[in-house]
Amino acid sequence: MKKFITLIAVTAATIAQAASFQWGTGTVKVSFDGTAFTSAGSDVKGYLVYLGTSTDTSTLWTLDTSAGTISGATSVDSKAPTTTGLAANKGKIVNTYNDNDIGNVAVGKTFGMYIKFTDSSGVDWYNFSDTVAVMSTDATGAYEAKSFAFNFDSKSEINVKTGAAPTAGGGWYAAVPEPSVALMGLLGIGMLIRRRKA
């Protein structure tokens, strides 16, 4: 199973105590089911999540077992893949997170990242990084570059209601209805067809 490493290029930009850094997929294009995204759009977007000092990647998602859904954690920044520049740059997520004097950018503070893709059927797929970026500085006081690891080669439909959960770095995940719910839907369609024939 192939893992793509995506860079979070951190730079020290300390103007009036505020700081910022560039984050995204570095040189890697986001891909789904073997196809790289070649343009931006509302169907795919990356999300940067502030985790405080936690390194628990399971906090990047929430499961609603009553509704049978997955949702991503509240983000501090989001970005769709870029369509500007050379063709080789399309499909890469690059954005700058501005701290705006909130204090999120400091030594020991952590960030996670996930990517959401909505397919043509309206199904939401999530891909969660299996690493977090822990802020640190070098000898000069500049923030050091970190990396996020993603797997774009795998996709899984999971039944949230039966207790299944995503795995950070496990690839793309989508929630699917319980088999009984899907069966009831098929039976309902069958009844409608039969009723029309009668």
Side-chain angles (χ1 to χ4, degrees):
M1 197 170 290
K2 192 175 179 182
K3 284 199 175 178
F4 289 123
I5 301 301
T6 62
L7 283 191
I8 176 171
V10 183
T11 57
T14 53
I15 301 170
Q17 299 300 320
S20 64
F21 60 79
Q22 190 179 79
W23 65 277
T25 60
T27 60
V28 177
K29 290 183 179 182
V30 179
S31 64
F32 179 82
D33 205 17
T35 303
F37 294 100
T38 56
S39 63
S42 59
D43 55 346
V44 61
K45 190 174 283 188
Y47 296 87
L48 181 71
V49 179
Y50 174 66
L51 299 173
T53 56
S54 173
T55 57
D56 182 4
T57 53
S58 69
T59 59
L60 291 176
W61 66 82
T62 300
L63 299 177
D64 185 339
T65 53
S66 60
T69 58
I70 308 168
S71 58
T74 301
S75 65
V76 293
D77 205 9
S78 63
K79 179 71 173 176
T82 182
T83 57
T84 58
L86 300 174
N89 291 326
K90 293 181 179 180
K92 299 172 185 177
I93 295 171
V94 180
N95 204 35
T96 299
Y97 169 63
N98 292 302
D99 189 40
N100 293 326
D101 212 15
I102 298 170
N104 291 351
V105 179
V107 173
K109 297 296 178 75
T110 57
F111 290 83
M113 184 181 169
Y114 68 89
I115 301 169
K116 177 184 173 185
F117 167 61
T118 304
D119 66 21
S120 58
S121 300
V123 176
D124 290 334
W125 293 84
Y126 291 90
N127 197 323
F128 304 98
S129 167
D130 69 354
T131 53
V132 297
V134 182
M135 305 295 290
S136 60
T137 55
D138 61 20
T140 68
Y143 286 106
E144 298 176 302
K146 303 295 177 179
S147 64
F148 292 125
F150 284 97
N151 174 5
F152 294 138
D153 291 344
S154 174
K155 67 175 188 174
S156 305
E157 295 179 341
I158 62 173
N159 189 337
V160 174
K161 289 193 173 186
T162 61
T167 300
W172 294 98
Y173 289 95
V176 294
E178 287 184 277
S180 59
V181 174
L183 183 59
M184 292 289 281
L186 287 173
L187 287 173
I189 292 169
M191 293 286 283
L192 283 172
I193 292 171
R194 186 174 177 186
R195 188 173 176 183
R196 283 188 176 180
K197 284 184 178 179

